[in-house]
Every structure is written in C-alpha cells, then in structure tokens.
Amino acid sequence: MFDWAWARAYQQHGLPYYPKGLLAVPFTPVPGSRLLARSQALRVALVHAVQAWAAEQQLSSLHLLFGDADDLAACAAAGWMQRSTVQFHWTNTPPALPAARATLPAEAEPASMQACADTATTPPCWKDFDDFLGSLNQEKRKKIRQERRKIAEAGVSFKALQGRDIGAQDWSFFYRCYERTYLEHGNPPYLTPEFFAAMASAMPESWVMFIAERNGQPVASSLIATTALQSTNSASKPLFFDDGQAQAAINNKVAYGRYWGALERIDSLHFEACYYQPIEWCIANGFDRFEGGAQGEHKMARALLPVETPSAHWVAHPAFADAIERFLQRESEGMAQYVQELQSHSPLRKA
C-alpha cells in the first residue's frame, strides 16, 4: 500500500505521519486473515480496540493490508476507509472453458480441460505450458517462445527444488544471488541469511526454489512461497479457523513470486526464472494461482492479469481523514478505469 503522498502531505503541514500502525504480514503481499477472532462481532470489537490503542499511542493512522473479506467488512463497520490497488495474477484455468465444459460429456473434453484433481467441482486447468501458451494471442505467444528459446540457446537449464529437498548449499547460493541483485540496484538486501535459515528450518514446506545452471554451474536462482504443500492433517487446523475456513485454506493452492537473483547477465533469464518456471511448476503440480507480487504492468505480457487488492485505513487527524477519504473516492473511480484499460490489453486470444 503506497502512501508516500499522504506522508508528504503531513510533512508539508508540519505534522508527523510516522509512526503509523500496520496490520499485515511484514514484507509480503500475501492475503489472509489479519484479525484473529472467532466471530464477526468480535472482529469489529477488535478493530475498535486497536483503533483506541492507536489513538492512545498517538499513531497517525492504521492500515490493514491484504486482509480477507471478513476483515474488510469489520473495518468498514468500524468506519474505516476502503482502498483498492492492483496486483497481477496468473490463474490455472482456461478462459471461457468452464461454461463450455458443462455441455460436453466427460470423454469428449479436450486435453486442456482436464481437471486439476479428480473431483467434479474442480475447474479445468492447463495440461502443460504449451497448452497454456495456446490461449495467448500470437504476438505474446511468439514473444514468450523467443525468450524461452534464448535461454535454451544460452545453454541454461533449470531444476526445481521444494521443501526439505532444498539443501543448505542451495539456500547459500540463493542468498548470494539475492544479495547481489539488490546491491546492483543500489539497495541493501533487507532480509538476512538468518531469515532464510529460519524459513528452511521452521517452514520448509512453504518454499520452492528454481536454480538455473549453465555448463554444470549454478548461475541464478528464484524463490516462490506456496500454500498447500504442508500436511492437511486436521490436527494442524489453524487456531482461529472454523472447519469450512480450514478446508478452504487446504484446497486453495497458491504460489507467490518473491525473490530472485543472478550471478551472470543472460538475456531473458529474469522472465524465465521469475515467471515461466513458476508457471510451468504450478501447472505440473495443480496449483490454482500464481501471484506475481506488487507492481509490474510488464507482467501482463506473461499472462498475469490485473486483480484489485483491497485495504482498509483509519486516520486519526480529522481534517486529514476527510481529505484522504475524498481522495480515495476519486482514486477509486480512476482505479476502475485503470483496471478496465488494462483488461483491454489482455494477452489472451479473443474468443
């Protein structure tokens, strides 16, 4: 949630915008529950309580980011302002095919309409990467094939490692790539080797690593986070989830693009490591969605399409709260037009 303009406006008026309060998972735009409560009434009470605490602590504002629908409804009930921004997601469902599927006998379904799992309610998903490419318009399909061909002609191959198959040496190599890429862009890496070591130890099942090799030597790496690789044993049901929510979390197989880095500059390597390899892996493993992270209209050329991502905000200063609310009303209209404009440039073939 980019609120730098709000911070500048506070500064121009001689008011402190920081510290502010954030209800989110730090550093990652992964959606999910932010208000740990067993009922909607308790969620609303929790919102009021944290708002009272923020006022007591003299925070300028509170921001709930990437919350679920229940969180956003609780914030709205407490009078918080709502905002939408845009992310870009790839989905493992052929466009316009689910409706057609109902009219076909099962034995007549095309290969691209195979279900991700053996259930009647599971929507069809792509058979393989070439099947997915077939849904794109000629220009985008040709461009992706050219980029992938450049990687093959450069002698680069990839291997995918997941969970505990990612060894200490792999994590060490990944960090070298991650650190170098951040430094090349003039920024120190904000995540430390100790952070990734903790992830490898505490939640290894949540990570998939792609390693690019050339001439037998690793040259680049990318890392994605995932849901649904962990045990689905009911004993591991999250504390504040009811049975329906827990089952939905188990069934919702999502991958999240996160970090990458390279030790060599190779044309199109970034696109292969960060988009094509994860998408191909998602297809092979029956994942429903790949979220590419914040920003990036260039992702649309790789068939990651715009999705509105909501947030909720409380601002302590009455005059600024009024000004920001009016700004958000105008922004909301502009955001709807922006998403409509993006959708008009969809890389998918016209039906």
Side-chain angles (χ1 to χ4, degrees):
M1 197 285 296
F2 302 111
D3 58 353
W4 301 310
W6 304 1
R8 283 196 299 271
Y10 267 70
Q11 184 181 33
Q12 290 167 359
H13 287 79
L15 295 172
Y17 187 68
Y18 302 103
K20 66 177 185 179
L22 185 65
L23 286 74
V25 178
F27 297 121
T28 186
V30 173
S33 177
R34 305 293 182 246
L35 302 172
L36 303 184
R38 296 182 184 275
S39 69
Q40 195 63 6
L42 290 176
R43 286 187 189 89
V44 175
L46 186 55
V47 172
H48 283 295
V50 74
Q51 179 178 318
W53 173 85
E56 183 180 294
Q57 298 297 315
Q58 297 185 323
L59 302 185
S60 70
S61 51
L62 287 169
H63 311 270
L64 185 143
L65 309 185
F66 302 102
D68 63 17
D70 289 337
D71 289 348
L72 294 165
C75 290
W80 289 28
M81 297 174 282
Q82 307 285 303
R83 188 185 196 188
S84 286
T85 52
V86 171
Q87 282 190 329
F88 295 86
H89 298 173
W90 172 89
T91 56
N92 193 4
T93 304
L97 286 182
R101 186 186 191 202
T103 67
L104 294 173
E107 63 272 14
E109 289 182 351
S112 61
M113 293 174 65
Q114 294 176 354
C116 294
D118 295 328
T119 67
T121 58
T122 302
C125 41
W126 302 116
K127 178 182 64 173
D128 54 31
F129 195 87
D130 281 339
D131 188 31
F132 152 65
L133 282 184
S135 71
L136 305 183
N137 64 48
Q138 183 179 11
E139 177 189 359
K140 297 299 188 292
R141 186 167 63 248
K142 180 179 178 181
K143 180 68 172 175
I144 291 175
R145 284 178 172 153
Q146 285 176 339
E147 290 171 343
R148 302 204 84 183
R149 187 163 55 248
K150 288 178 182 178
I151 294 299
E153 291 172 351
V156 176
S157 61
F158 276 83
K159 63 180 180 181
L161 303 171
Q162 64 187 70
R164 297 192 182 278
D165 291 336
I166 308 173
Q169 186 174 358
D170 302 316
W171 282 107
S172 178
F173 172 73
F174 164 77
Y175 192 82
R176 282 178 60 204
C177 297
Y178 163 77
E179 180 182 46
R180 176 166 176 167
T181 298
Y182 263 80
L183 293 174
E184 285 180 349
H185 286 84
N187 299 309
Y190 56 81
L191 296 175
T192 65
E194 291 75 19
F195 168 82
F196 291 106
M199 294 298 97
S201 173
M203 45 191 298
E205 71 283 349
S206 295
W207 301 99
V208 177
M209 184 181 296
F210 302 94
I211 297 179
E213 297 180 333
R214 183 158 71 166
N215 298 324
Q217 297 297 317
V219 295
S221 183
S222 64
L223 186 70
I224 65 173
T226 69
T227 62
L229 289 180
Q230 60 267 40
S231 169
T232 56
N233 188 308
S234 60
S236 64
K237 182 178 74 176
L239 178 62
F240 288 94
F241 280 13
D242 60 30
D243 290 339
Q245 290 173 313
Q247 191 60 49
I250 290 170
N251 292 339
N252 193 25
K253 299 176 72 174
V254 184
Y256 305 92
R258 280 302 165 263
Y259 308 106
W260 103 289
L263 304 184
E264 295 185 24
R265 292 184 181 275
I266 301 172
D267 191 11
S268 301
L269 182 57
H270 171 260
F271 301 132
E272 183 69 33
C274 296
Y275 303 116
Y276 307 146
Q277 286 293 319
I279 287 174
E280 196 162 32
W281 183 90
C282 285
I283 293 172
N285 289 275
F287 268 58
D288 305 306
R289 189 168 74 252
F290 172 61
E291 299 188 5
Q295 299 182 301
E297 293 176 7
H298 66 279
K299 295 171 184 173
M300 283 193 65
R302 280 85 202 172
L304 279 77
L305 302 181
V307 175
E308 290 195 52
T309 53
S311 55
H313 309 269
W314 169 81
V315 176
H317 193 289
F320 266 101
D322 180 64
I324 289 173
E325 185 168 26
R326 286 185 278 112
F327 163 77
L328 290 180
Q329 290 173 351
R330 297 192 302 272
E331 185 188 55
S332 177
E333 296 172 1
M335 186 61 63
Q337 294 173 358
Y338 172 62
V339 171
Q340 186 175 11
E341 174 67 15
L342 288 174
Q343 290 171 341
S344 72
H345 296 285
S346 170
L348 299 175
R349 286 190 305 176
K350 303 299 182 185

